[in-house]
């Protein structure tokens, strides 16, 4: 019996009908542009969240998580509506609501993606539940529809205005590749990202600094983009060229201008990063990561001292490039480093954090991994 099976049986007294798993993600480059119809280049990490589900003969929904002491939350299906107060269970309930489930369920969650570290444990949770439900009820949603539905769950049910990237990559990723995702229509292509055979490693540094996308900073950034595109008469930042941005500078406030400059330059960097990966030019990739960080720190203003420290310390330890990832204001940074330098880089970052009296960071490494999968039926 697998671990999640045992947890399910302990909580609900029977075996699950289905178990699905979905990974967290790291976005190599293309930050804060998914909601601007931009391109992003994420990959799935090996850590994943498992969802075990069993149909019930009634309309009761019971949910528990191993990361929440297996405490069972119970609710009638008809009471699952946006705006309902609650805690973590709103993520799976949002998915049940968005997918239009019409039957009671028992749900057990076991997540191995660090929570709130900028590695998208929320998308891993939503996508594991959505993948299991899609199979269990033979809904027949394709991966793009599942991405839209899980995003709807997080936006409209949980109330977090996240973009579409996290759910898309958690559902669509292939091992050994990054996913070049067009956030306008969700078309994608896989770009080989074989760090290991080049003697490189991608170090993920969780700064453990406060990270909550519901704080308002994220919503403010989106608002700046919205107001800038309205003033410039374009549908999204995607349609904005450097030229138009520069010649229209007077129409924008200083803040709107630099926010827009981040979006336009970041979209260009994603395309350059794809070319660099295809040419296996990791030095170029590294400098694009550095430029992305500079733009997020200075123009978009979503970094924080711990993230800047993680980036600067990695680079002074010899990293080819580094940048903050995720929404910002805390969370994780990534550094592209020589695999042989992993231990030294970790020590250097740790020591620098200690000197500045920051909370000790956590470190992960991960190769690009597979997206959501059904692990077991019956
Ligand atoms: P991130 O997605 O970067 O990890 P978020 O704040 O978006 O950070 O999502 C983290 C939240 O998702 C947690 O606070 C919790 O409510 C929920 N969550 C994620 N994974 C689990 C899990 N395994 N069990 C319970 N809740 C989870
Ligand atoms: Mg999240």
């Amino acid at each position: 019996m697998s671990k999640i099976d045992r947890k399910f049986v302990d909580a609900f007294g029977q075996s699950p009908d289905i178990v699905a798993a979905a990974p967290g993600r790291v976005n190599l480059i293309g930050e804060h542009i998914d909601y601007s119809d931009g391109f992003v280049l994420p990959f799935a990490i090996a850590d994943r969240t498992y969802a075990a589900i069993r149909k019930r003969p009634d309309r009761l929904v019971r949910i528990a998580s191993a990361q929440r002491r297996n405490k069972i939350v119970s609710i009638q299906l008809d009471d699952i509506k946006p705006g309902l107060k609650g805690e973590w269970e709103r993520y799976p309930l949002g998915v049940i609501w968005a997918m239009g489930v019409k039957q009671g369920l028992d749900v057990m969650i076991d997540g191995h993606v660090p929570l709130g570290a900028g590695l998208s444990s929320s998308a891993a949770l939503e996508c594991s539940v959505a993948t299991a439900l899609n199979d269990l009820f033979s809904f027949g949603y394709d991966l793009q529809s599942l991405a839209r539905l899980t995003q709807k769950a997080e936006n409209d049910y949980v109330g977090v205005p996240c973009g579409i990237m996290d759910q898309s990559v958690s559902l669509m990723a292939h091992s050994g590749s990054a996913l070049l995702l067009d956030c306008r229509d969700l078309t994608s292509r896989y770009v080989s990202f074989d760090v290991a055979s080049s003697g490189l490693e991608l170090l993920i540094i969780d700064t453990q600094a406060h990270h909550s996308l519901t704080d308002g900073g994220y919503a403010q950034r989106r608002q700046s983009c919205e107001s800038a595109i309205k003033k410039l008469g374009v549908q999204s930042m995607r349609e904005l060229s450097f030229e138009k941005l520069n010649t229209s500078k007077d129409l924008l406030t200083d803040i709107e201008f630099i926010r827009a400059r981040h979006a336009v330059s970041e979209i260009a960097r994603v395309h350059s990063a794809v070319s660099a990966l295809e040419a296996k030019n990791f030095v170029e990739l590294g400098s694009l990561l550095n430029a992305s960080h500079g733009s997020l720190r200075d123009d978009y203003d979503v970094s924080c001292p711990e993230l800047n420290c993680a980036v600067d310390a990695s680079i002074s330890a010899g990293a080819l490039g580094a940048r903050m990832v995720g929404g910002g204001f805390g969370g994780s940074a990534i550094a592209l480093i020589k695999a042989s330098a992993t231990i030294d880089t970790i020590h250097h970052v740790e020591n620098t954090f200690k000197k500045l009296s920051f909370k000790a960071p956590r470190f992960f490494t991960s190769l690009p991994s597979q997206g959501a999968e059904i692990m077991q039926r019956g």
Side-chain angles (χ1 to χ4, degrees):
M1 204 187 262
S2 68
K3 270 191 190 159
I4 178 97
D5 262 346
R6 198 164 311 124
K7 286 174 183 164
F8 190 98
V9 173
D10 287 349
F12 301 118
Q14 296 185 74
S15 296
D17 292 330
I18 192 146
V19 177
R25 62 92 188 95
V26 166
N27 187 19
L28 191 54
I29 197 159
E31 209 62 78
H32 273 284
I33 50 168
D34 57 346
Y35 50 80
S36 291
D37 280 353
F39 290 87
V40 292
L41 194 60
F43 63 89
I45 57 173
D47 300 312
R48 46 203 61 228
T49 293
Y50 295 83
I53 305 186
R54 184 182 173 92
K55 286 182 191 170
R56 294 177 54 89
D58 53 18
R59 294 178 72 76
L60 183 65
V61 174
R62 298 192 297 175
I63 303 188
S65 164
Q67 285 66 49
R68 293 291 182 266
R69 286 182 270 117
N70 299 327
K71 191 175 153 243
I72 299 174
V73 180
S74 299
I75 182 170
Q76 287 296 330
L77 198 57
D78 306 292
D79 294 335
I80 302 178
K81 293 189 183 92
L84 206 70
K85 287 210 171 50
E87 294 174 26
W88 73 272
E89 72 281 0
R90 288 175 306 144
Y91 291 87
L93 290 179
V95 175
I96 291 168
W97 165 77
M99 292 181 79
V101 172
K102 303 225 162 6
Q103 188 175 343
L105 301 167
D106 287 335
V107 182
M108 171 57 77
I109 303 296
D110 191 6
H112 298 266
V113 182
L115 270 59
L119 299 175
S120 211
S121 68
S122 57
L125 171 53
E126 292 150 6
C127 294
S128 62
V129 173
T131 301
L133 292 175
N134 198 34
D135 195 273
L136 189 60
F137 290 107
S138 304
F139 283 134
Y141 291 118
D142 62 14
L143 297 182
Q144 295 178 346
S145 308
L146 286 180
R148 300 255 187 234
L149 286 168
T150 44
Q151 182 199 21
K152 185 176 157 74
E154 188 156 341
N155 287 171
D156 299 347
Y157 196 93
V158 187
V160 177
C162 63
I164 190 75
M165 173 179 73
D166 300 352
Q167 294 83 358
S168 300
V169 64
S170 182
L171 291 160
M172 297 174 194
H174 282 178
S175 68
S177 294
L179 182 76
L180 175 64
L181 178 74
D182 181 338
C183 297
R184 185 159 62 186
D185 59 10
L186 295 195
T187 51
S188 60
R189 85 177 162 89
Y190 297 94
V191 182
S192 175
F193 182 32
D194 192 3
V195 267
S197 73
S198 305
L200 299 174
E201 182 119 74
L202 212 91
L203 183 66
I204 302 163
I205 306 160
D206 174 11
T207 64
Q208 303 241 53
H210 172 69
H211 173 76
S212 171
L213 292 186
T214 36
D215 269 359
Y218 180 91
Q220 280 167 14
R221 298 305 178 283
R222 287 190 69 150
Q223 272 159 21
S224 297
C225 290
E226 292 291 321
S227 59
I229 60 173
K230 256 189 214 134
K231 288 181 183 175
L232 298 176
V234 288
Q235 285 282 314
S236 71
M237 293 292 178
R238 161 79 160 271
E239 290 162 32
L240 200 57
S241 63
F242 273 121
E243 215 179 4
K244 179 159 170 89
L245 178 62
N246 286 324
T247 52
S248 317
K249 193 173 177 192
D250 294 346
L251 298 175
L252 303 176
T253 64
D254 290 348
I255 291 288
E256 285 164 350
F257 178 75
I258 57 173
R259 302 292 190 254
R261 187 166 63 187
H262 166 72
V264 176
S265 64
E266 187 75 356
I267 291 173
R269 277 187 291 272
V270 173
H271 294 302
S272 304
V274 170
S275 306
L277 277 183
E278 284 171 343
K280 290 204 183 294
N281 186 345
F282 291 108
V283 173
E284 172 66 11
L285 181 65
S287 51
L288 290 163
L289 297 181
N290 293 340
S292 172
H293 186 73
S295 179
L296 288 159
R297 181 191 58 211
D298 303 332
D299 277 357
Y300 223 61
D301 195 19
V302 288
S303 192
C304 65
E306 292 88 345
L307 285 169
N308 294 337
C309 175
V311 166
D312 296 343
S314 305
I315 291 168
S316 69
L320 283 77
R323 69 175 199 88
M324 57 155 281
V325 292
F329 313 110
S332 294
I334 53 169
L336 184 64
I337 59 175
K338 291 203 178 87
S340 56
T342 308
I343 303 289
D344 286 349
T345 311
I346 288 175
H347 283 160
H348 187 62
V349 175
E350 264 172 350
N351 288 337
T352 316
F353 267 60
K354 212 179 269 170
K355 269 188 210 143
L356 292 169
S357 305
F358 291 153
K359 199 171 172 189
R362 292 186 294 178
F363 298 89
F364 313 91
T365 57
S366 185
L367 297 175
S369 303
Q370 189 61 34
E373 292 168 290
I374 299 293
M375 306 305 290
Q376 133 198 349
R377 290 187 185 87

